[in-house]
Amino acid sequence: MITSGAFRGKRYAVLGLARSGAATVDALLASGASVMAWDTRETARAAFMPNDRLTIADPLLVDLDGLDGVVVSPGVPLNKHPIADKARAAGVPIIGDIELFAQARVSLPPHRVVGITGTNGKSTTTALIHHILVTARVPATLGGNIGLPILAQDPLPSGGVYVLELSSYQIDLTQSLDCDVAVLLNITPDHLDRYDGLAGYAASKARLFTMQSAHGLAVVDRTADAEFDVLDDANDPFVRFIDTVELSGQAEWPALQGPHNAQNAAAAIAIARLLGIAEEAIAAGLRSYPGLPHRMERVAEKGGVLFINDSKATNATSTAPALAAFPPIGDGAPRIRWILGGRAKTNDLDACAPFFGNVRAAYTLGEAGPMFAKLLRGDMAVCECNTLANAVAKAAAAAQPGDVVMLSPACASFDQFSDFEARGAAFRAAVGEV
């Protein structure tokens, strides 16, 4: 695990004892800090035995004066949860495990940090640049919103690179993460229940760059920068804009098809070049990248029908490039049988509309099913299926060789599944039954 003398003798409260919270408690205790830990779940609390430096207590019910920080899960809504006001009243900073990592960096061997944010494509780009680094034999690990909690990982040797996927929630809980390379892939409406409109959401993303020192480099989507003024103009000499215009070789990268993956690849190439990775290693990494589960994952091909699991596409903007990735071929007929629905984040599918011509039929499910069915009728055949298993069965039964049965739901999963991973696993299982 990552520990630091910077925490020795300090006092923290940790609210939420899931994976990152549990790793935070362990790292702080191993660093010589005192911790007050709490989770509303008794089973989570039971995993920790109180001692002279660990107490189990709800920070909402005790005095917070004198604490060096309240460490909360990114899932805690700071605009609604009472811990936010209580900590501010006590003058105690509200932080996350990424901020603790930032403070621990002084204790680590010389290294670099790449921080990647954006509405869509974060996980793929993070995993891709990590893969390129490993291909180039550079010590690297990934963390943040992907993989193991960063504090649970062993420190990298000298010359290593920490590649962090960072949600806006994680950035909100971070004050001093000075990324050697900070990356913004895009900004589209998302999580607006946590922010003061789209501008507030964009401002959260932009903080990744304001935390950088003068030597920091940036890789940024030009459109997002122009619309939201993400960068200080003084940093322009240190900026690389994501540009897919001159991108070649995508046909040789089997796990990186579609226009969204063109952007992800362009960003990863820019990052790798800033890190000094040789062009040969970059090319080899792009060719051998295996892809991530639930992100345009090729689950199976049966009878000439391809089954794609894109469960991670939780909004229309992230589904649109998945639809764009499979245009009509041969006789010019559309070939996508699109499974969509769940808990809607917006009441439209406007981002997907330019690619409706690629869709042979839609199979709707979940809370948003009736709304999406109404939106799509007139543009394509629609089958209201309610459940994912039913949608897969009906799509597979109607599919012809050359068709693509694709789960790309444009919705959150929480109406019928615990998360997008559970939804993707259910899709795999349903495909196994056809």
Side-chain angles (χ1 to χ4, degrees):
M1 74 179 69
I2 290 176
T3 61
S4 175
F7 308 135
R8 185 173 296 115
K10 292 186 176 180
R11 298 171 57 231
Y12 297 89
V14 177
L15 179 60
L17 300 176
R19 291 199 311 160
S20 64
T24 296
V25 172
D26 290 340
L28 288 173
L29 291 174
S31 300
S34 296
V35 178
M36 174 173 53
W38 185 253
D39 193 293
T40 56
R41 298 168 301 151
E42 184 177 354
T43 54
R45 301 195 303 268
F48 294 90
M49 296 297 294
N51 57 47
D52 59 341
R53 288 194 292 111
L54 174 63
T55 58
I56 306 298
D58 186 346
L60 289 174
L61 303 178
V62 300
D63 189 352
L64 302 183
D65 290 345
L67 289 182
D68 292 283
V70 175
V71 187
V72 302
S73 161
V76 173
L78 297 183
N79 60 333
K80 298 177 182 177
H81 199 284
I83 192 61
D85 287 338
K86 181 164 185 177
R88 292 188 189 103
V92 177
I94 306 169
I95 60 176
D97 65 329
I98 300 299
E99 174 58 23
L100 291 174
F101 167 75
Q103 295 176 19
R105 291 182 65 187
V106 67
S107 304
L108 300 176
H111 63 276
R112 289 177 288 181
V113 170
V114 177
I116 298 171
T117 195
T119 306
N120 299 306
K122 297 186 295 296
S123 296
T124 294
T125 305
T126 301
L128 176 56
I129 190 61
H130 174 260
H131 179 77
I132 290 171
L133 290 167
V134 171
T135 301
R137 299 188 177 182
V138 175
T141 192
L142 48 77
N145 206 38
I146 189 172
L148 292 173
I150 190 62
L151 296 179
Q153 302 192 38
D154 291 333
L156 292 172
S158 181
V161 180
Y162 295 87
V163 187
L164 305 179
E165 177 190 338
L166 299 172
S167 69
S168 58
Y169 299 166
Q170 288 169 310
I171 296 171
D172 291 342
L173 296 169
T174 306
Q175 285 79 47
S176 64
L177 181 66
D178 182 4
C179 292
D180 297 272
V181 183
V183 184
L184 174 65
L185 299 172
N186 45 62
I187 297 176
T188 59
D190 204 4
H191 304 307
L192 299 187
D193 58 326
R194 292 272 291 259
Y195 296 99
D196 183 15
L198 184 56
Y201 172 60
S204 174
K205 299 287 191 187
R207 288 191 57 254
L208 187 63
F209 301 93
T210 62
M211 288 187 283
Q212 285 186 287
S213 55
H215 73 277
L217 303 171
V219 174
V220 180
D221 175 63
R222 193 184 302 272
T223 301
D225 182 45
E227 184 173 356
F228 298 105
D229 194 23
V230 171
L231 295 171
D232 182 338
D233 290 342
N235 286 332
D236 281 354
F238 304 100
V239 174
R240 302 292 184 274
F241 287 105
I242 299 169
D243 190 356
T244 63
V245 173
E246 298 180 0
L247 191 67
S248 60
Q250 190 177 7
E252 301 176 5
W253 312 330
L256 293 166
Q257 298 304 296
H260 59 321
N261 278 323
Q263 185 194 46
N264 297 335
I269 291 167
I271 297 163
R273 287 172 175 166
L274 290 175
L275 294 172
I277 305 303
E279 293 296 321
E280 295 82 2
I282 296 174
L286 291 165
R287 287 195 301 269
S288 60
Y289 174 65
L292 286 171
H294 315 297
R295 297 161 181 84
M296 294 294 286
E297 176 189 7
R298 292 173 175 245
V299 171
E301 186 169 345
K302 298 186 175 187
V305 176
L306 181 62
F307 293 83
I308 297 288
N309 169 21
D310 194 37
S311 182
K312 184 61 169 65
T314 59
N315 57 56
T317 303
S318 55
T319 286
L323 300 181
F326 294 96
I329 57 174
D331 62 2
R335 57 192 180 125
I336 297 175
R337 295 186 180 274
W338 178 22
I339 299 173
L340 74 159
R343 180 163 294 169
K345 293 184 176 181
T346 62
N347 60 3
D348 64 72
L349 292 167
D350 292 353
C352 300
F355 310 108
F356 284 171
N358 295 349
V359 180
R360 185 183 292 268
Y363 301 81
T364 64
L365 55 93
E367 289 179 5
M371 176 181 70
F372 284 173
K374 184 177 180 180
L375 287 173
L376 295 174
R377 283 196 176 96
D379 291 294
M380 63 193 70
V382 176
C383 178
E384 295 190 59
C385 300
N386 189 33
T387 68
L388 179 56
N390 191 31
V392 172
K394 288 185 178 298
Q400 304 168 12
D403 282 359
V404 178
V405 175
M406 178 190 293
L407 169 66
S408 191
C411 281
S413 60
F414 303 124
D415 59 336
Q416 296 181 338
F417 300 95
S418 59
D419 50 38
F420 74 85
E421 289 100 337
R423 179 170 60 190
F427 177 77
R428 288 197 205 108
V431 170
E433 295 295 321
V434 302

